[in-house]
Amino acid sequence: VLYKESVGTGTPTPITPEMERVKRNQEICSSVLYKENIGKATPTPVTPEMERVKRNQEIISSVLYKENVGKVTPTPITPEMERVKRNQEIISSVLYKENLGRATPTPITPEMERVRRNQEHISSVVYKEGLGKATPTPVTPEMERVKRNQEHISSVLYKEHLAKGTPTPMTPEMERAKRNQENISSVLYSDSFRKQVQGKAAYVLDTPEMRRVRETQKHISTVKYHEDFEKSKGSFTPVVTDPITERVKKNMQDFSDISYRGIQRRVVEMERKRVDQDQENLTG
């Protein structure tokens, strides 16, 4: 206070470039002397507590920065701004990929597949929730013409717009034409079959696996056949014997006896005639 009271009124002098240069040199010298006076420091490990404090400081700084930000005036996004933004994204992507080193591939596990599917579902849901209201556009005559052309091209829509048909009775002439068409189709199919397939063998490679399967099938068929034979062996099918069956059976037996005996008598007579003829030839 006494110092300031004894100081009189001074005369202000302008700041010249020389004074600016001297001031900067003084600052540089002060910085150099300050660093020279600093001794060697002992490094300390970064503890979890220090990490926590650092994160808290960052969060506090972010909050204070946002509080100090005043109100801004929104500006419309022009096509030029959109183009610049896309270019910046492309450049950032290229630079990011250039700075990437070599990665170690990891196998895709079922758990990773499940998480990826869940993320896709969540992204789809969030995308649909974030959709805003759309602006309807009027339907112009050109759009109507394109729509009609698409409907004509689409066979499904064409069938949906078919009108109801009038049923017609099936006359004999229509039946005859239908049968003729079926016969013609059958003949053409048979001709094409004979020309393309008939007489041509289908070559199949006889591999050891196919031979093994064929032998196994043969063994299975043989075992199944013997099994069925053993089950049916010694069994018979009972038949009801009625008087008519008995009569037919007796008549058939009689016919068989008569036929057999008649043939036997004829054979005996022919043998006797042959012997008599041989004797006549020897005596004659």
Side-chain angles (χ1 to χ4, degrees), residues 103-114 116:
T104 303
T106 57
I108 298 176
T109 60
E111 181 66 17
M112 294 172 67
E113 288 288 341
R114 184 182 64 80
R116 189 171 71 182

Coordinates of all heavy atoms in Angstrom, one line a residue, residues 103-114 116:
A103 N -4.4 -59.6 -38.0 CA -5.2 -60.1 -36.9 C -5.1 -61.6 -36.9 O -4.7 -62.3 -37.9 CB -6.7 -59.7 -37.1
T104 N -5.4 -62.2 -35.8 CA -5.4 -63.6 -35.6 C -6.9 -64.1 -35.7 O -7.8 -63.8 -35.0 CB -4.9 -64.0 -34.2 OG1 -3.6 -63.5 -34.0 CG2 -4.9 -65.5 -34.0
P105 N -7.2 -65.0 -36.8 CA -8.5 -65.4 -37.0 C -9.0 -66.4 -35.8 O -8.2 -67.2 -35.4 CB -8.5 -66.2 -38.3 CG -7.1 -66.6 -38.4 CD -6.2 -65.5 -37.8
T106 N -10.2 -66.2 -35.4 CA -10.8 -67.0 -34.3 C -11.9 -67.8 -34.9 O -12.7 -67.3 -35.7 CB -11.2 -66.1 -33.1 OG1 -12.2 -65.2 -33.6 CG2 -10.1 -65.4 -32.5
P107 N -12.1 -69.0 -34.5 CA -13.3 -69.8 -35.0 C -14.6 -69.3 -34.5 O -14.7 -68.7 -33.4 CB -13.0 -71.2 -34.4 CG -12.2 -71.0 -33.2 CD -11.3 -69.8 -33.5
I108 N -15.6 -69.4 -35.3 CA -17.0 -68.9 -35.0 C -17.7 -70.1 -34.2 O -18.0 -71.1 -34.8 CB -17.7 -68.6 -36.3 CG1 -17.0 -67.4 -37.0 CG2 -19.2 -68.2 -35.9 CD1 -17.7 -67.0 -38.3
T109 N -17.9 -69.8 -33.0 CA -18.6 -70.8 -32.1 C -20.1 -70.7 -32.2 O -20.6 -69.6 -32.6 CB -18.1 -70.7 -30.7 OG1 -18.4 -69.3 -30.2 CG2 -16.6 -70.8 -30.6
P110 N -20.8 -71.7 -31.8 CA -22.3 -71.6 -31.7 C -22.8 -70.4 -30.9 O -23.8 -69.8 -31.1 CB -22.7 -72.9 -31.1 CG -21.7 -73.9 -31.5 CD -20.4 -73.1 -31.4
E111 N -22.0 -70.1 -29.8 CA -22.4 -69.0 -28.9 C -22.3 -67.7 -29.7 O -23.1 -66.8 -29.6 CB -21.5 -69.0 -27.7 CG -21.8 -67.9 -26.7 CD -23.2 -68.1 -26.0 OE1 -23.7 -69.2 -26.1 OE2 -23.7 -67.1 -25.5
M112 N -21.2 -67.5 -30.5 CA -21.0 -66.3 -31.3 C -22.1 -66.2 -32.3 O -22.7 -65.1 -32.6 CB -19.7 -66.3 -31.9 CG -18.5 -66.3 -31.0 SD -16.9 -66.5 -31.8 CE -16.8 -65.1 -32.8
E113 N -22.5 -67.3 -32.9 CA -23.6 -67.3 -33.9 C -24.9 -66.9 -33.2 O -25.7 -66.1 -33.8 CB -23.8 -68.7 -34.5 CG -22.7 -69.1 -35.5 CD -22.9 -68.3 -36.8 OE1 -23.9 -67.7 -37.0 OE2 -21.9 -68.2 -37.5
R114 N -25.2 -67.4 -32.0 CA -26.4 -67.0 -31.3 C -26.4 -65.5 -30.9 O -27.4 -64.8 -31.1 CB -26.5 -67.8 -30.0 CG -27.8 -67.6 -29.2 CD -27.8 -68.4 -27.9 NE -26.8 -68.0 -27.0 CZ -26.9 -66.9 -26.3 NH1 -28.0 -66.1 -26.3 NH2 -25.9 -66.5 -25.5
R116 N -24.8 -63.1 -32.5 CA -24.9 -62.3 -33.7 C -26.4 -62.3 -34.2 O -26.9 -61.2 -34.6 CB -24.1 -62.9 -34.8 CG -24.0 -62.0 -36.1 CD -23.0 -62.5 -37.0 NE -23.4 -63.8 -37.7 CZ -22.7 -64.5 -38.5 NH1 -21.5 -64.1 -38.9 NH2 -23.1 -65.6 -39.1

